[in-house]
């Protein structure tokens, strides 16, 4: 029982948190049928899973005074979830007036199914309370069998319709142009497949029970646990279109960390120029986008502080050697910049040198170009033999008093 309580209660609490968030976020749009369908979907799913916990089943039966009343309540909520989720995707795919023609049929059909389930439940002889095996224990009682059959078929049809329309919607040209919405619909499709699988397994076990075969009853016990896990993709599906566009992609996150570590040696080498500007905002230590942005700002600041000490002869020598090595244009510029930074930042110069023209000192044209440019400079600063040779030559010239 403990595992049943743990899974049902955990998933139910997640559903209640999602319900509270959606009610708060959508409170200004309560007049929209789409919003009503969305809130109903989350409401039915959250309470169905929560009330399915054995601990709550006992409490519901005790409060109601009706043996196994929790089964009727939970199954009615599941049917409500199936109908509302089917209606929701129809409102997503079609204009409101066109969707309402189909939703009206769903509303009438699923209300009738719940009413029939209530009548069949109270016509049945089910005096012995069953917390987790109600379906298999009473499966051979005709009224209960019909009760279970219409409940499972309604669940399978509703959630199957949800999955189908979400999958088709995700492939729609207008929606596929909005990738986060398309991903959300695929996850919503995935969420609908859990109850469909649950309904198919339950129907199979019900049929086996009628033929006197009880060896599959264990499937009936595990199927609801699997269905309750649909709360996880449901949360993801509803969160992706809202939060996805606000978050950078995982691949960009990885690229930013790679950029950070590529720039780190150069950043450490130049920090002595003005260590007072180094800043990591509170709570941003593990945010690679912030860390790289700060690195670029600080590197640019230090470079301009060193610009008066950029030596024209260092730049000319580095350019000549880089071109002799047949380096690409971007790499030539990086080698020249790295040589100037190392020579100017080595601490050996105390007076401005003969400077290269300011027109030759250029920034990146955009953020991505700036990242790439500084990464090339950082690599040249650390690893280029041309930079080593040019700076060593500049040191010798300085040591000789400029007479070499």
């Amino acid at each position: 029982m403990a595992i049943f309580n743990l899974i049902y209660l955990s998933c139910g609490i997640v559903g209640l948190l999602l319900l509270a968030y959606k009610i708060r976020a959508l409170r200004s749009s309560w007049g929209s049928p789409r919003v009503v369908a969305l809130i109903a979907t989350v409401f039915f799913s959250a309470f169905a899973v929560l009330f399915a916990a054995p601990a709550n089943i006992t409490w519901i039966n005790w409060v109601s005074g009706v043996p196994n009343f929790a089964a009727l309540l939970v199954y009615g909520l599941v049917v409500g979830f199936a109908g509302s989720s089917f209606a929701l995707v129809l409102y997503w795919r079609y204009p409101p007036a066109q969707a309402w023609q189909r939703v009206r049929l769903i509303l009438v059909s699923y209300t009738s199914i719940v009413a029939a389930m209530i009548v069949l439940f109270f016509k049945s002889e089910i005096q012995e309370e069953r917390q987790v095996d109600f379906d298999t224990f009473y499966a051979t009682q005709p009224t209960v069998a019909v009760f279970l059959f219409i409940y499972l078929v309604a669940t399978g049809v509703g959630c199957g319709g949800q999955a189908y329309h979400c999958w088709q919607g995700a492939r729609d040209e207008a929606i596929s142009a909005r990738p986060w919405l398309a991903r959300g619909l695929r996850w919503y499709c995935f969420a609908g497949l859990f109850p469909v699988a649950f309904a198919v397994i339950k129907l199979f076990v019900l049929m086996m029970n009628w033929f006197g075969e009880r060896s599959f009853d264990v499937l009936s016990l595990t199927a609801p646990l699997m269905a309750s896990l649909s709360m996880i993709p449901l949360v993801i599906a509803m969160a992706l279109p809202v939060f996805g566009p606000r978050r950078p992609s995982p691949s960009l996150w990885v690229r930013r960390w790679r950029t950070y570590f590529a720039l780190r040696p150069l950043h450490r080498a130049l920090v002595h120029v003005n260590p007072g500007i180094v800043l990591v905002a509170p709570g941003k230590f593990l945010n690679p986008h912030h860390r790289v942005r700060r690195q670029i700002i600080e590197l640019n600041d230090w470079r301009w502080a060193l610009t008066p000490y950029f030596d024209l002869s260092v730049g000319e020598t580095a350019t000549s050697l880089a071109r002799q090595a047949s380096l690409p244009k971007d790499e030539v510029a990086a080698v020249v910049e790295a040589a100037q930074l190392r020579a100017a930042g080595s601490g050996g110069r105390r007076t401005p040198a003969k400077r290269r023209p300011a027109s030759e000192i250029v920034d990146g044209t955009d953020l991505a170009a700036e990242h790439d440019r500084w990464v090339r400079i950082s690599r040249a600063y650390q690893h280029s033999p041309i930079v080593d040779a040019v700076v060593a030559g500049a040191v010798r010239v300085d040591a000789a008093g400029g007479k070499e």
Side-chain angles (χ1 to χ4, degrees), residues 86-139:
F86 197 176
L88 175 61
V89 296
L90 292 176
Y91 275 120
W92 280 345
R93 290 206 65 192
Y94 303 105
Q98 186 179 352
W100 172 243
Q101 297 176 3
R102 297 172 170 86
V103 171
R104 182 170 50 190
L105 178 61
I106 293 173
L107 186 61
V108 172
S109 301
Y110 277 75
T111 302
S112 301
I113 289 169
V114 172
M117 288 171 60
I118 294 172
V119 172
L120 290 166
F121 178 85
F122 285 103
K123 287 289 185 180
S124 304
E125 295 294 330
I126 45 176
Q127 298 304 312
E128 183 177 346
E129 180 179 297
R130 311 301 299 185
Q131 289 187 335
V132 295
D133 64 345
F134 175 88
D135 296 4
T136 55
F137 189 82
Y138 291 111

Side-chain angles (χ1 to χ4, degrees), residues 312-382:
L312 180 60
S313 63
V314 169
E316 290 175 344
T317 303
T319 301
S320 176
L321 293 176
R323 287 174 177 169
Q324 289 175 26
S326 301
L327 295 181
K329 182 179 179 181
D330 288 343
E331 293 297 330
V332 171
V335 165
V336 172
E337 193 76 17
Q340 293 278 28
L341 286 171
R342 193 191 293 181
S346 62
R349 293 193 182 277
R350 291 293 180 266
T351 59
K354 184 180 178 182
R355 296 179 55 187
R356 61 180 174 147
S359 60
E360 296 181 10
I361 306 173
V362 295
D363 292 322
T365 56
D366 56 36
L367 188 60
E370 188 79 347
H371 288 178
D372 294 342
R373 191 176 69 87
W374 274 111
V375 167
R376 288 193 297 270
I377 293 170
S378 180
R379 288 172 180 163
Y381 191 98
Q382 301 169 72

Side-chain angles (χ1 to χ4, degrees), residues 63-100:
V63 170
S64 66
V66 178
N68 297 301
F69 181 77
L72 175 62
L73 177 61
V74 171
Y75 293 175
L77 288 169
V78 172
V79 170
F81 163 73
S84 59
S85 62
F86 197 176
L88 175 61
V89 296
L90 292 176
Y91 275 120
W92 280 345
R93 290 206 65 192
Y94 303 105
Q98 186 179 352
W100 172 243

Side-chain angles (χ1 to χ4, degrees), residues 33-344:
R34 182 183 300 175
V35 171
V36 173
L38 174 60
I39 297 299
T41 299
V42 181
F43 175 88
F44 287 129
S45 62
F47 280 99
V49 173
L50 189 66
F51 290 159
N56 286 333
I57 288 174
T58 301
W59 177 78
I60 293 169
N61 291 337
W62 176 77
V63 170
S64 66
V66 178
N68 297 301
F69 181 77
L72 175 62
L73 177 61
V74 171
Y75 293 175
L77 288 169
V78 172
V79 170
F81 163 73
S84 59
S85 62
F86 197 176
L88 175 61
V89 296
L90 292 176
Y91 275 120
W92 280 345
R93 290 206 65 192
Y94 303 105
Q98 186 179 352
W100 172 243
Q101 297 176 3
R102 297 172 170 86
V103 171
R104 182 170 50 190
L105 178 61
I106 293 173
L107 186 61
V108 172
S109 301
Y110 277 75
T111 302
S112 301
I113 289 169
V114 172
M117 288 171 60
I118 294 172
V119 172
L120 290 166
F121 178 85
F122 285 103
K123 287 289 185 180
S124 304
E125 295 294 330
I126 45 176
Q127 298 304 312
E128 183 177 346
E129 180 179 297
R130 311 301 299 185
Q131 289 187 335
V132 295
D133 64 345
F134 175 88
D135 296 4
T136 55
F137 189 82
Y138 291 111
T140 54
Q141 189 175 146
T143 51
V144 175
V146 176
F147 168 87
L148 294 173
F149 179 79
I150 62 174
Y151 148 64
L152 294 170
V153 169
T155 300
V157 170
C159 294
Q162 164 203 326
Y164 171 78
H165 281 285
C166 284
W167 183 256
Q168 293 299 318
R171 299 171 62 187
D172 185 88
E173 184 175 341
I175 292 177
S176 61
R178 302 169 62 188
W180 285 108
L181 178 57
R183 292 186 188 112
L185 285 175
R186 291 190 190 98
W187 275 100
Y188 202 73
C189 169
F190 188 45
L193 294 178
F194 280 85
V196 170
F198 156 81
V200 170
I201 292 171
K202 283 278 195 177
L203 283 169
F204 171 75
V205 174
L206 179 64
M207 182 179 67
M208 291 296 101
N209 288 163
W210 266 89
F211 285 107
E213 180 57 64
R214 292 282 181 172
S215 60
F216 296 100
D217 285 4
V218 66
L219 295 177
S220 185
L221 297 178
T222 57
L225 294 176
M226 178 183 66
S228 67
L229 295 177
S230 66
M231 187 61 65
I232 297 173
L234 180 63
V235 170
I236 296 173
M238 293 187 174
L240 278 178
V242 177
F243 296 105
R246 303 178 188 177
R247 302 301 301 171
S249 68
S251 60
L252 179 59
W253 186 85
V254 172
R255 290 200 302 272
R256 285 293 177 268
W257 274 122
R258 292 175 60 187
T259 300
Y260 170 80
F261 285 109
L263 295 178
R264 193 179 184 194
L266 178 61
H267 187 272
R268 287 186 168 184
L270 298 181
V271 69
H272 67 88
V273 176
N274 185 3
I277 68 168
V278 176
L279 170 68
V280 178
K284 298 288 189 178
F285 183 80
L286 296 178
N287 184 329
H289 310 283
H290 170 75
R291 300 298 299 273
V292 170
R293 185 164 56 249
R294 286 303 311 173
Q295 281 182 322
I296 297 296
I297 291 171
E298 291 152 14
L299 286 170
N300 276 310
D301 190 275
W302 296 331
R303 190 192 72 171
W304 286 111
L306 292 172
T307 298
Y309 305 96
F310 280 11
D311 193 326
L312 180 60
S313 63
V314 169
E316 290 175 344
T317 303
T319 301
S320 176
L321 293 176
R323 287 174 177 169
Q324 289 175 26
S326 301
L327 295 181
K329 182 179 179 181
D330 288 343
E331 293 297 330
V332 171
V335 165
V336 172
E337 193 76 17
Q340 293 278 28
L341 286 171
R342 193 191 293 181

